[in-house]
Amino acid sequence: MISIQNLEFGYKEKKKILKRNSENRPPILRNISLDFQRGELYGLVGPNGCGKTTLAKLIMGIYEPSKGQIIIDGKKRPNLHDGQWKRRIGNVSGASSRLFSTMTLGEHVAMYSAIYDRFDDKWFREKLVEFRIDDKLKRWASSLSFGERIKFELALTLACLPEILILDEPTVGLDPAAILQIRKMVNNYLELHNACGIMTSHNLKDLTTTCVRGGFLQDGYITNEYLSAEIDADELERRYLEVF
Amino acid sequence: MTGDVLRNMFIWARKSNTDANDWRSMLYFILLIFLTDCVIWYQSGSLSDYDWMYLVQYSLMSFPLWTLVSIKGVGKEQVDLMEMSRWHVVDLLPGGATPIFLGHYLGKLAKLWLFHLWLIILVVLAVAHGAPIYIIPIMLLNIVIGAVNLILFGVFTRYYSPRGYRDIINSIVRSTSTLLSGALFPIGILTKNSVLSLILNPFSTVVTSPILAILGDPNMSENRMIHMQLIMFMSSIIWLFLFLLIAIRAERTRRYAIYS
């Protein structure tokens, strides 16, 4: 469903006064080609700053590739001016909140259910009960703990029924029980809604239990691709330490 | 005019330290506006012919309390997006940040009991002063549109302000726009033609419309009053669309500048 073909991307230097064009930095991603089928997540492993989040942003359309292309369902990936495209993406980032600090959780739910016509309110309420945050809907988003925030964001995102999941370290800062709940929820969602996408995490067990396959992002290239069915987290960690 | 400047200075100075979403702050604002009006009117002596009831009514209408609520929220989120590099918050939401914030805070306002109370008082005053019934809905619409114009003006000037000067520019813009919304200010100040003056001022309808509808002008006929209200309605609607377009464009420029 998602096909990344010979993708290359490098950030630009900040524009300087009196200089017409900004200079390009060396590419952070080089010649990346990947295919994700429906129902599967691809696990991206790599050290901080290797370009995992950049690749996620390229898939979503926040950045445009310098070379190569991203094909979605046989067509070139639309850009962020396309509202329908944005409705198909579900993005959760452990590192940065997507909630508005001056809104309560209940107001977020009202806003998302108004914007996303496929919003599954019943499923969402069930998840809130499961995560034990159903009594916090009247609280300000800024007053949530780190873990509560991620649980709420993930439930809210999946309730919008996205077809493409971009999960950027979604289990960071969560307690072990919550991590298990998150993995189960994502797996159920993939199976039920046939979604696909990528997941990055430094918790390698997340990747082996949630993603069908994955690879290391090393010096801008995808290397050491693996199938989760053939490898466990310990083995993945051993390989990781060998490579990095 | 000096009174308006002073009053706005007091209000905005105080506003920066309080949360307008809190009903106690709102009551505080009402009291503050009333008291500053009293002082200004007493000191000026220019309106000494009017009785204190007029002062109370003018105070109720002279400052759109509810814009405090909406401006506060929109501004905070906007600064968050720009200063904390949180554009990703809205990047994936269908629709831009400006319409989302605007819709959200107007919706929030619609549920605010103080706003309901304020509207009821305006309607009761209008009826008590014998304003024609059909003017009341136009008056209410004019207030809403004028206040949205105030919000949007603040939004796009914030987007277009250079980073280091954002606070000072924002402060000047807020003071100027609320000052321009002052009831006795706009008529005839921009041009000697009062109708043209109303059309040129995007914020005048917030206060001028209820003042005209409720307290009225003894020299103005009913037909003339309806004519003025309709002119205010049409001009403020045009301003609203213009400001909305500019605000959306400003947001887009600011938002995509970091990706280019």
Side-chain angles (χ1 to χ4, degrees), chain A residues 60 62-63 80-81 86-87 89 91 96-103 107 111-112 115-116 140, chain B residues 73 76-77 80 86 88-95 100-101 104-105 108 252 255-256 259-260:
Chain A
M60 291 188 281
I62 292 176
Y63 298 141
L80 285 184
H81 295 294
K86 290 198 258 191
R87 281 187 175 81
I89 309 170
N91 171 230
S96 49
S97 173
R98 287 188 59 209
L99 302 181
F100 296 105
S101 56
T102 59
M103 286 192 199
E107 284 165 356
M111 186 179 85
Y112 272 71
I115 294 175
Y116 292 87
W140 298 106
Chain B
K76 189 175 178 345
E77 293 295 0
D80 251 20
R86 276 168 44 87
H88 66 280
V89 175
V90 287
D91 273 337
L92 295 174
L93 282 177
I100 288 173
F101 289 161
H104 169 68
Y105 286 100
K108 209 166 172 174
R252 193 168 278 194
R255 191 166 159 182
Y256 291 111
Y259 300 134
S260 59

Side-chain angles (χ1 to χ4, degrees), chain A residues 41-153:
Chain A
L41 274 187
Y42 188 90
L44 266 182
V45 191
N48 303 115
C50 71
K52 300 185 296 291
T53 305
T54 305
L55 181 58
K57 286 182 175 175
L58 280 159
I59 294 173
M60 291 188 281
I62 292 176
Y63 298 141
E64 289 299 327
S66 323
K67 286 182 190 165
Q69 56 182 353
I70 299 165
I71 306 291
I72 311 285
D73 289 336
K75 289 178 190 165
K76 195 171 175 245
R77 191 240 316 108
N79 60 26
L80 285 184
H81 295 294
D82 185 338
Q84 283 306 319
W85 165 242
K86 290 198 258 191
R87 281 187 175 81
R88 294 173 66 188
I89 309 170
N91 171 230
V92 175
S93 169
S96 49
S97 173
R98 287 188 59 209
L99 302 181
F100 296 105
S101 56
T102 59
M103 286 192 199
T104 64
L105 300 192
E107 284 165 356
H108 277 88
V109 180
M111 186 179 85
Y112 272 71
S113 57
I115 294 175
Y116 292 87
D117 42 6
R118 300 201 306 154
F119 190 84
D120 190 343
D121 196 58
K122 187 168 169 277
W123 180 89
F124 176 71
R125 303 276 165 185
E126 283 169 13
K127 290 299 150 195
L128 289 190
V129 174
E130 205 175 292
F131 289 144
R132 295 182 193 165
I133 47 175
D134 55 314
D135 57 340
K136 296 189 163 74
L137 285 174
K138 285 189 178 165
R139 280 176 51 177
W140 298 106
S142 52
S143 72
L144 287 186
S145 75
F146 191 79
E148 285 171 339
R149 191 265 291 170
I150 294 182
K151 289 181 203 172
F152 179 79
E153 273 192 44

Side-chain angles (χ1 to χ4, degrees), chain B residues 18-87:
Chain B
T18 50
D19 182 359
N21 293 320
D22 177 3
W23 67 270
R24 280 166 298 196
S25 303
M26 297 292 279
L27 286 178
Y28 174 82
F29 285 133
I30 295 172
L31 191 64
L32 187 72
I33 291 162
F34 179 68
L35 288 177
T36 48
D37 276 347
C38 281
V39 171
I40 291 158
W41 282 46
Y42 177 77
Q43 281 193 331
S44 71
S46 58
L47 296 164
S48 52
D49 291 344
Y50 293 91
D51 68 7
W52 66 274
M53 276 302 289
Y54 188 94
L55 175 61
V56 173
Q57 290 168 35
Y58 173 76
S59 289
L60 274 172
M61 289 176 279
S62 67
F63 193 86
L65 287 173
W66 58 289
T67 61
L68 293 173
V69 181
S70 29
I71 288 176
K72 177 91 180 169
V74 173
K76 189 175 178 345
E77 293 295 0
Q78 233 194 323
V79 171
D80 251 20
L81 291 175
M82 289 190 291
E83 308 270 312
M84 313 293 285
S85 289
R86 276 168 44 87
W87 282 113

Side-chain angles (χ1 to χ4, degrees), chain B residues 71-177:
Chain B
I71 288 176
K72 177 91 180 169
V74 173
K76 189 175 178 345
E77 293 295 0
Q78 233 194 323
V79 171
D80 251 20
L81 291 175
M82 289 190 291
E83 308 270 312
M84 313 293 285
S85 289
R86 276 168 44 87
W87 282 113
H88 66 280
V89 175
V90 287
D91 273 337
L92 295 174
L93 282 177
T98 305
I100 288 173
F101 289 161
L102 197 61
H104 169 68
Y105 286 100
L106 286 177
K108 209 166 172 174
L109 176 77
K111 294 179 191 163
L112 199 71
W113 68 268
L114 259 173
F115 177 58
H116 297 167
L117 181 68
W118 189 56
L119 284 183
I120 290 167
I121 293 172
L122 283 184
V123 172
V124 168
L125 281 175
V127 173
H129 281 272
I133 296 296
Y134 45 85
I135 277 189
I136 294 173
I138 305 174
M139 171 192 85
L140 296 179
L141 273 175
N142 280 344
I143 297 169
V144 173
I145 297 166
V148 173
N149 284 347
L150 274 170
I151 298 168
L152 287 171
F153 191 63
V155 166
F156 74 73
T157 48
R158 208 177 281 117
Y159 279 131
Y160 279 133
S161 304
R163 188 172 183 160
Y165 301 94
R166 192 170 296 138
D167 286 345
I168 184 93
I169 291 176
N170 190 35
S171 176
I172 293 168
V173 162
R174 285 199 298 195
S175 298
T176 313
S177 54

Side-chain angles (χ1 to χ4, degrees), chain A residues 164-210:
Chain A
I164 293 160
L165 288 185
I166 307 290
L167 305 178
D168 192 7
E169 302 185 33
T171 58
V172 66
L174 293 183
D175 61 74
I179 290 176
L180 288 177
Q181 282 176 318
I182 297 278
R183 287 180 194 154
K184 192 178 151 200
M185 184 167 81
V186 172
N187 279 329
N188 285 345
Y189 183 83
L190 289 169
E191 202 178 313
L192 203 65
H193 297 284
N194 221 10
C196 67
I198 63 167
M199 180 177 189
T200 71
S201 180
H202 293 294
N203 182 341
L204 300 179
K205 205 166 181 184
D206 286 344
L207 303 179
T208 52
T209 53
T210 315

